[in-house]
Amino acid sequence: MFLALLELRAARGRFVLMGSVVVLVAALVGIVSGFTTGLGDDTVSALRALPATHVAFAPGSDSDQFARSLVDERTAAGWDKEEGVEATPLGVALTRGATDRGVEVDLAAFGVEPGAFTDPGADRGEALDADEPHGIVISRQLADDGVRVGDTLTVDRLGIRLRVTGATSRSSYGHVPAAYVTTDTWRRIRFTTPGTDARPDDLPVQYSAVALKLPTGFADQKLAAADRRHRTTTVPLQDAFAAAPGYEGERLTMTSIQAFLFLIAPLVVGAFFAVWTVQRTPELALLRAMGASRRRLLGHTLAQAAVVVAAGTAVGAALASAVGLLVGERVPFSLPAGSLAATMGAVVLVGLAGSALTLRRVTTVDPMTMLGAAR
């Protein structure tokens, strides 16, 4: 280890150069990881916040279920009668509107039953009230866009006027800030034809899906039988994320970029240490001639690689965190400490794996090389 550190100091220019490459790779991996998590949160955070275990859709809606699926009141009531199951209708629709102060916003309207387990309540102001069907609770992003509690929000083209009664935490769906309305109001948004003034009683009593809380012992066979009875297709909440627009495509793209970076890292590190091993072959041969074991040479090489890769990764992690602080909430970026640690740990492992590609040359150094070089 002492010789490894001395060599790092003697050839610090080369190792700093290699460390800089590791810093850039680690920082890039961390930044991509932050954007992957941030984009995912910006697409499905409203769904992730639902305290449900499963979501029941209409059969046949294999993609973009929240836009294509329609389940009726009878289906929701039937699920609620299942033993040990909590069920409540859920509506999801993208729309836009403007406040009485001229603030124009896009929003994802989530139709929920006031007081049901899908009702998010309100951190400020008042929660949804069944006696006040024209209320709306906005997420924090809409508040950041200029919508205030007490404003009147008019849904574009439909003329539906809603009073902002409260605000809740950050949540979004398909990169659009979420807002929560009663199911009757949601049906007006979803089914009203522009230019008409339909009442809730005149509209279909249908919803996008049924949010479910299934007991732990609700076996797959029992779930399949319930689906047949209620003519639904039920998926775990995590699988319902794929119903959000763009979620699968974005996740696949960002994950592919991460995978390529993890492939590049060991190749770059391995190439550097391969060249470095060739250049110091005489020194390694001298150590072998002086009695150093192959095991000691391996430890010597791995110690150098570990110092360079670990130090570069630590600086890269700090750089990725600084980028997250710099962009703030202006872009969908999220890099929790646990995710950052796991990502950087993977960078260290693949970096060391790259350096391991040179170990065979280290162990096969011939002590006679030094004698031959002296002739």
Side-chain angles (χ1 to χ4, degrees):
M1 184 64 183
F2 178 70
L3 291 176
L5 295 178
L6 282 180
E7 198 167 30
L8 284 173
R9 182 177 178 181
R12 55 182 175 272
R14 298 178 184 180
F15 284 106
V16 167
L17 179 62
M18 182 54 208
S20 300
V21 175
V22 176
V23 167
L24 293 177
V25 172
L28 189 54
V29 171
I31 292 170
V32 171
S33 178
F35 279 119
T36 302
T37 305
L39 287 169
D41 288 343
D42 204 47
T43 304
V44 298
S45 59
L47 297 177
R48 189 177 284 124
L50 292 174
T53 60
H54 292 71
V55 179
F57 295 103
S61 51
D62 297 329
S63 62
D64 199 10
Q65 290 98 321
F66 285 109
R68 298 182 180 183
S69 170
L70 286 175
V71 297
D72 56 25
E73 187 178 32
R74 180 179 178 181
T75 301
W79 266 109
D80 197 40
K81 292 178 181 177
E82 292 285 340
E83 183 180 357
V85 175
E86 291 184 62
T88 183
L90 175 67
V92 180
L94 298 177
T95 186
R96 60 178 292 108
T99 68
D100 50 355
R101 295 184 295 105
V103 178
E104 297 184 358
V105 292
D106 295 317
L107 64 147
F110 274 68
V112 298
E113 294 283 356
F117 64 84
T118 51
D119 184 357
D123 298 333
R124 292 187 293 111
E126 300 176 357
L128 293 175
D129 189 343
D131 296 330
E132 295 288 340
H134 302 297
I136 181 172
V137 173
I138 60 173
S139 60
R140 204 174 89 188
Q141 293 100 310
L142 289 171
D144 293 340
D145 290 338
V147 182
R148 301 175 183 171
V149 175
D151 285 351
T152 298
L153 180 70
T154 303
V155 179
D156 280 359
R157 299 186 303 138
L158 303 179
I160 301 174
R161 296 169 61 84
L162 304 171
R163 186 175 70 87
V164 181
T165 63
T168 185
S169 58
R170 294 181 65 87
S171 60
S172 55
Y173 171 80
H175 304 299
V176 179
Y180 299 87
V181 296
T182 63
T183 50
D184 284 344
T185 298
W186 180 85
R187 289 192 297 116
R188 292 182 64 195
I189 294 172
R190 174 68 172 80
F191 298 114
T192 299
T193 303
T196 64
D197 186 20
R199 297 179 179 180
D201 293 341
D202 301 327
L203 300 172
V205 186
Q206 294 178 320
Y207 315 97
S208 299
V210 180
L212 304 173
K213 271 188 176 182
L214 301 183
T216 305
F218 212 89
D220 291 339
Q221 291 182 351
K222 196 173 182 180
L223 178 59
D227 268 335
R228 287 192 295 270
R229 284 194 297 272
H230 306 302
R231 297 181 181 179
T232 55
T233 300
T234 302
V235 298
L237 181 63
Q238 292 277 357
D239 293 348
F241 295 167
Y247 178 76
E248 286 292 330
E250 289 174 355
R251 194 168 185 83
L252 178 61
T253 299
M254 302 306 291
T255 303
S256 299
I257 295 174
Q258 278 186 297
F260 277 111
L261 289 174
F262 280 124
L263 290 175
I264 291 171
L267 293 178
V268 172
V269 175
F272 172 82
F273 277 100
V275 174
W276 177 243
T277 301
V278 171
Q279 291 178 339
R280 64 195 181 106
T281 297
E283 288 84 352
L284 293 174
L286 177 60
L287 291 173
R288 286 284 291 128
M290 294 173 64
S293 65
R294 289 186 175 88
R295 183 175 181 180
R296 186 168 184 179
L297 292 183
L298 285 176
H300 173 85
T301 303
L302 288 175
Q304 288 181 339
V307 170
V308 173
V309 173
T313 301
V315 176
L319 185 58
S321 299
V323 170
L325 294 175
L326 182 64
V327 299
E329 295 182 354
R330 290 174 293 178
V331 296
F333 187 94
S334 176
L335 193 58
S339 176
L340 177 62
T343 302
M344 294 303 108
V347 172
V348 171
L349 289 177
V350 297
L352 292 178
S355 68
L357 298 175
T358 65
L359 296 183
R360 182 178 180 278
R361 189 175 186 88
V362 172
T363 58
T364 56
V365 170
D366 187 0
M368 297 300 295
T369 301
M370 194 62 194
L371 297 177
R375 290 183 178 180

